[in-house]
Amino acid sequence: MDDKNSVNAEYMIDISDMYKIYKMGDNEVRALNGVNVKIKHKEFVSIIGPSGSGKSTLMNMIGCLDTPTSGTYYIDGKEVSKLRDDEQAKIRNQKIGFIFQQYNLLPKLTVEENVELPLIYAGVSGVKRKELIKTALSRVGLYDRRHHKPSELSGGQQQRVSIARALAARPPMILADEPTGALDSKTGTEVLEMLKELHKEGKTIVLITHDNKIAHEAERIIRIMDGKIVFDSLIDGDKNEVNV
Amino acid sequence: MNFSQAFKMGMKSIMSSKLRTFLTMLGIIIGVCAVIILVSVVQGSTGSITDQISSLGANSISVMLTGNNKAKTVEYEELLEFAEENPDYIQYVVPNMSLSGVTVKYMNTNSSVSVTGTTPEYITIKDREISEGRFINSSDIRDRRKVAIIGSYNAQDLFGFESPIDKQIKLNGQIYTIVGVFEEKADSEEASDDDLVVIPYTAGRLLFNTSKISSYTVWATTPESSEQAADMLENFLFKKLGDEDGYRVFAVSSMLDAIDEITGTMTLLTAGIAGISLLVGGIGIMNIMLVSVTERTREIGIRKAIGARRFNILSQFLIESVVVSCMGGLVGIVLGIAGSVTIGMLMGVNAFPQVSVMLAAFLFSAMVGIFFGWAPANKASKLNPIDALHAD
Ligand SMILES: Nc1ncnc2c1ncn2[C@@H]1O[C@H](COP(=O)(O)OP(=O)(O)OP(=O)(O)O)[C@@H](O)[C@H]1O
Ligand SMILES: [Mg+2]
C-alpha cells in the first residue's frame, strides 16, 4: 500500500495502437480503432466525443475492466495484458477509483457498507476502515446518511456516495464516466468542483463527458470520434485550447 | 480479506435477500424432510413385520399333517423318536392341537376362547412366563389330568380380582381345574396373546373330538440349523407318508430370509423415490439461483470493478450457499423426524429415522444447494468485469 502513490514510470497511462472490435455477424464495430494516448501522473484530462464514439470503451480499457482486441497498455509502468486476473483486480482496487454514470452502488448494502467494500478487498483492518469511511463520507457531506440504503437517497447523493467509494482507498487515479450525466446542472457543478479539488490534491483524473463546457474544466482535452483520437489539446488559464 | 470478512459478507447477503434465502431453503427442507419420512416409515413398517415373525422364534419349524390318508400317518411318538435320533438338529417336538370358539364358563360368566392342547415344552418355545400357579407338567400329560392354564385377559374376564387358581371352569361343558395363569404380555387385551387357554394334549380328546395330532411346532437346536432340520423333517415325512401333499413343513428362519429380501427391495425402491424428491428439491434450488443470477452477475461486476478478486467472490458465494443449505438441511431434519414419528404413531410402527438416513439426506441436499448456489457465481466470477456489469 505504501508505494502506490510513488511514481514508477513517466506516464500513468500509456496506450498504443489499441483496437477493440466487436463482431456482429458479418459487420464489425470498431469501438476503438487504433488509439494512442499517454496521460501523465497528476494530470486532469477530459475525454470528449459524440455518443457511440468509444469513450466508455476507452475508459473501460484504462480501468482494466475490459480486454482490448489488440494493442498494448502500460499502467504506471506495468503491462496490463501480462497481469493475471488477480493482479488486475489489485490494480483496480489500489490505483483506480471509479465513478460511473449509473453510480453502480450495491442496492442491498447501506451507504457505509458500499464505501467499505474497496477497503475490505484491500485488506484494511476494521478500525482503519471506520476511519477511512468517515473521512470519505464526510468529504462528500453524507456521513450522517451512512446507515441509509442507496435507494433512500437522491441521484446526486448517490453519485456522491460513489465518489466517496472511489476515494476511500485513496487511489492515485480517478476515472469518471459521465459523472454528471444524470444530474441537474447545480449538482453537476458540485461534483465537478470535487473532481477539481481532488486534482489539486495530486490525483490523476480522467473525466469522460460529451459536454464541451465541462470538458474545459480540465487541463487537457482529448477528442474522440469513431474510435479514433482526432484532437488532443491543452487548456490554458483562460480555458482556451492550445494545440501541441 | 480473511475468512471472517467473507463470512460477514455472505451473512449480509443472506439477510438482505430474505425471500430468495427462504425459497432456496424451502427446496432443501422439502427434499430432506421427504426423504427422511419416506425411508423411515418404510423401514419402520418392514421392521415391524420382521419383529412379528421373529417373535415366533427363529428356531421354530411348523409341521402340519394335512392328509386324510388313514392308512398312512405319522404318530407323535415317531416324531419324538426321530428327534431323539437327531439331537444336533431337533430339540423339541411340541404338539399343537387347537380349537377356537370354545365356550368357557365360570359360575354365571360365559365367554368364548380358543384352547390349545400341548406339552410342557410349549412354555419354553413360546417364551412365556407363569405369574401365578404352574404350567402343565409331565404327570398331567401321563395321567390325562383335566387342568388348564389361562391368559391374564381370561383371568380378569372370568374372575375379576379373585385368584383363579384351583377354580373349576367348564370348557364346552367339561370341567377343568385352573392350575396357572400366564404372565401378561399384551396389556391383557381381548384376542391378544393374553387371551388363551392351554391344556394337556392328552386331556383334550373329548374337547378336540379327535386324538389325531395334525399340527406340531418343532424346535430346532439352533436357529442356523433350522432350515436343515426342516429339510430332514420333510424327507422323514415323505418316507412315512409317500405323498408330498400330506404334510407341510415351514421354517420361520427361511421366512425371515424372504422378508429380508423383500425389505431390501423396498428400501431400494424407497431410495429411488427419495432420490427423485431430492432431485425435485434440487431443481427448485436451481431455479431460484438462475432467476437471481442476473442480479448477482451485476453485483459480481461491481465487486470486481472495485477490486474483488475471484477468490473473494467465490468464498462469499460459497459461504452463502453453505449457510443457506445447511440451515435448510437442519430444518428439514427436524421436520423429517417430527413427520416420521407422527406417521409412525398413526401406523403403529416405530419409524424413528436412522442417523445414517438423516446424514445422507442432509449431505446430498446440502451438496445440491451448494453446487447450484456456487456454480453461477463461479461462472460470473470468470467474466470480464465490464461484461458482468452490463449483464441484464
Ligand atoms: N458489448 C458490445 N457489443 C457490441 N458493440 C458494442 C459493445 N459495447 C459497445 N459497443 C459499440 O461500440 C461503440 C462505442 O461504444 P461506447 O459505449 O464506447 O460509446 P460512448 O462514446 O461511450 O457513447 P455514449 O456517449 O453514448 O456513452 C458503439 O458503437 C457501441 O455500439
Ligand atoms: Mg458511454
Side-chain angles (χ1 to χ4, degrees):
Chain A
M1 280 266 304
D2 39 29
D3 70 329
K4 73 179 186 189
N5 281 309
S6 68
V7 175
N8 296 324
E10 191 186 351
Y11 294 105
M12 185 73 195
I13 288 159
D14 183 350
I15 287 174
S16 36
D17 250 351
M18 186 174 278
Y19 289 81
K20 178 70 180 179
I21 300 168
Y22 293 106
K23 289 218 163 62
M24 321 283 268
D26 282 343
N27 60 328
E28 52 176 41
V29 178
R30 294 178 169 236
L32 294 180
N33 194 9
V35 169
N36 292 284
V37 61
K38 290 178 168 57
I39 295 174
K40 287 208 265 310
H41 288 277
K42 306 181 190 213
E43 216 175 354
F44 185 175
V45 180
S46 50
I47 297 174
I48 186 169
S51 185
S53 55
K55 303 183 295 292
S56 296
T57 310
L58 180 57
M59 150 150 161
N60 294 338
M61 296 303 165
I62 293 174
C64 304
L65 295 172
D66 204 355
T67 38
T69 311
S70 67
T72 52
Y73 172 27
Y74 290 87
I75 182 163
D76 202 11
K78 289 198 188 93
E79 188 173 357
V80 173
S81 65
K82 298 235 165 83
L83 297 177
R84 282 182 291 115
D85 198 66
D86 281 0
E87 291 169 327
Q88 291 191 20
K90 192 174 170 189
I91 286 190
R92 288 194 293 272
N93 186 233
Q94 306 199 339
K95 293 226 184 284
I96 306 168
F98 290 96
I99 303 170
F100 298 98
Q101 182 175 354
Q102 320 84 335
Y103 324 133
N104 279 339
L105 299 171
L106 290 182
K108 283 173 179 164
L109 301 186
T110 62
V111 163
E112 181 177 51
E113 287 164 347
N114 266 289
V115 177
E116 190 177 19
L117 275 184
L119 299 172
I120 290 176
Y121 293 131
V124 178
S125 75
V127 185
K128 184 91 173 128
R129 286 207 300 271
K130 287 272 169 288
E131 204 184 300
L132 289 172
I133 292 167
K134 187 170 182 185
T135 314
L137 277 175
S138 307
R139 170 150 206 177
V140 298
L142 285 172
Y143 186 64
D144 54 341
R145 296 294 193 100
R146 63 189 178 283
H147 298 308
H148 287 247
K149 291 277 165 66
S151 58
E152 296 158 4
L153 302 178
S154 74
Q157 287 169 328
Q158 289 186 52
Q159 191 58 295
R160 273 147 65 195
V161 174
S162 87
I163 293 172
R165 183 180 64 184
L167 296 179
R170 302 176 188 262
M173 173 162 71
I174 301 286
L175 290 186
D177 189 355
E178 312 238 15
T180 59
L183 306 175
D184 63 37
S185 63
K186 185 174 162 284
T187 28
T189 311
E190 274 172 30
V191 167
L192 203 59
E193 286 309 315
M194 235 171 252
L195 288 177
K196 281 160 84 175
E197 231 173 85
L198 288 168
H199 172 236
K200 274 188 207 125
E201 288 165 22
K203 290 195 193 301
T204 312
I205 312 273
V206 178
L207 168 66
I208 284 170
T209 180
H210 57 258
D211 184 326
N212 228 342
K213 197 165 154 281
I214 291 173
H216 278 76
E217 300 290 332
E219 295 176 310
R220 176 180 164 198
I221 293 187
I222 294 171
R223 289 180 190 276
I224 185 168
M225 186 94 82
D226 296 330
K228 274 197 167 105
I229 292 178
V230 290
F231 222 68
D232 189 341
S233 52
L234 294 176
I235 302 201
D236 65 14
D238 301 324
K239 298 204 187 305
N240 291 317
E241 290 182 36
V242 190
N243 280 349
V244 263
Chain B
M1 196 177 83
N2 54 22
F3 176 79
S4 79
Q5 271 308 329
F7 187 80
K8 269 185 213 154
M9 223 173 244
M11 288 309 287
K12 228 176 254 171
S13 184
I14 288 170
M15 296 315 285
S16 63
S17 323
K18 294 200 177 61
L19 183 65
R20 184 178 66 214
T21 304
F22 170 73
L23 289 174
T24 310
M25 274 169 62
L26 198 63
I28 296 173
I29 291 172
I30 292 173
V32 171
C33 186
V35 168
I36 290 179
I37 291 178
L38 228 66
V39 174
S40 312
V41 168
V42 167
Q43 283 189 342
S45 26
T46 48
S48 86
I49 295 171
T50 314
D51 283 352
Q52 276 170 24
I53 289 172
S54 47
S55 76
L56 294 173
N59 301 48
S60 187
I61 302 164
S62 134
V63 173
M64 266 175 297
L65 302 175
T66 48
N68 291 321
N69 189 337
K70 290 246 162 58
K72 284 184 175 172
T73 181
V74 178
E75 297 297 331
Y76 177 40
E77 288 72 23
E78 289 176 292
L79 278 169
L80 277 180
E81 208 173 296
F82 180 70
E84 273 161 32
E85 285 164 14
N86 297 290
D88 290 345
Y89 292 97
I90 299 172
Q91 195 170 8
Y92 306 121
V93 177
V94 181
N96 211 350
M97 300 178 88
S98 71
L99 188 64
S100 54
V102 175
T103 307
V104 56
K105 190 169 181 212
Y106 173 70
M107 315 274 267
N108 293 322
T109 322
N110 262 318
S111 67
S112 170
V113 294
S114 65
V115 176
T116 301
T118 186
T119 56
E121 291 86 13
Y122 174 91
I123 194 158
T124 313
I125 65 166
K126 294 291 183 194
D127 196 24
R128 297 295 296 255
E129 303 282 341
I130 295 294
S131 64
E132 200 182 343
R134 64 172 178 84
F135 194 61
I136 303 168
N137 59 31
S138 46
S139 39
D140 294 333
I141 302 287
R142 191 184 57 232
D143 302 339
R144 305 183 178 190
R145 281 189 202 138
K146 291 194 166 181
V147 294
I149 293 86
I150 60 173
S152 55
Y153 163 74
N154 312 91
Q156 275 177 20
D157 184 37
L158 296 170
F159 301 98
F161 295 107
E162 269 182 79
S163 166
I165 303 297
D166 292 334
K167 300 272 165 28
Q168 297 198 319
I169 52 171
K170 281 183 179 166
L171 295 173
N172 280 357
Q174 298 175 38
I175 298 171
Y176 280 76
T177 307
I178 294 173
V179 294
V181 179
F182 285 110
E183 191 156 287
E184 184 183 80
K185 195 177 178 186
D187 297 330
S188 296
E189 279 172 38
E190 192 174 355
S192 73
D193 281 349
D194 290 328
D195 182 1
L196 80 169
V197 173
V198 175
I199 62 173
Y201 81 100
T202 48
R205 196 165 295 174
L206 269 174
L207 185 66
F208 296 125
N209 217 1
T210 177
S211 57
K212 191 168 174 287
I213 306 170
S214 56
S215 166
Y216 296 89
T217 302
V218 174
W219 192 254
T221 312
T222 61
E224 293 74 35
S225 66
S226 75
E227 281 183 55
Q228 202 172 345
D231 287 345
M232 287 162 61
L233 277 165
E234 283 194 59
N235 287 337
F236 172 74
L237 292 170
F238 185 74
K239 236 185 282 167
K240 287 279 174 193
L241 300 170
D243 177 9
E244 276 189 7
D245 295 332
Y247 57 89
R248 210 173 293 149
V249 177
F250 188 71
V252 164
S253 62
S254 64
M255 190 145 156
L256 281 173
D257 289 348
I259 294 272
D260 271 355
E261 217 166 282
I262 295 172
T263 310
T265 319
M266 284 289 275
T267 306
L268 268 181
L269 205 74
T270 327
I273 298 171
I276 291 173
S277 64
L278 277 181
L279 199 71
V280 171
I283 290 171
I285 297 165
M286 188 171 73
N287 277 339
I288 306 298
M289 290 303 178
L290 286 180
V291 166
S292 66
V293 80
T294 311
E295 177 195 329
R296 316 268 8 217
T297 304
R298 220 177 125 70
E299 175 189 335
I300 289 169
I302 295 174
R303 286 178 185 271
K304 285 197 84 168
I306 59 178
R309 296 159 198 216
R310 270 197 69 202
F311 170 79
N312 301 139
I313 305 279
L314 290 184
S315 49
Q316 177 200 331
F317 277 78
L318 197 61
I319 286 167
E320 230 182 286
S321 355
V322 167
V323 170
V324 171
S325 304
C326 290
M327 286 200 312
L330 289 179
V331 174
I333 285 181
V334 171
L335 291 182
I337 292 176
S340 313
V341 170
T342 310
I343 294 176
M345 248 154 54
L346 292 178
M347 288 173 60
V349 299
N350 172 22
F352 195 87
Q354 289 179 359
V355 176
S356 59
V357 174
M358 295 194 270
L359 210 67
F362 176 80
L363 283 182
F364 186 87
S365 27
M367 263 153 59
V368 169
I370 291 165
F371 177 76
F372 285 124
W374 178 75
N378 180 45
K379 203 174 146 212
S381 77
K382 286 182 187 159
L383 292 173
N384 259 341
I386 204 69
D387 293 334
L389 263 174
H390 286 165
D392 50 27

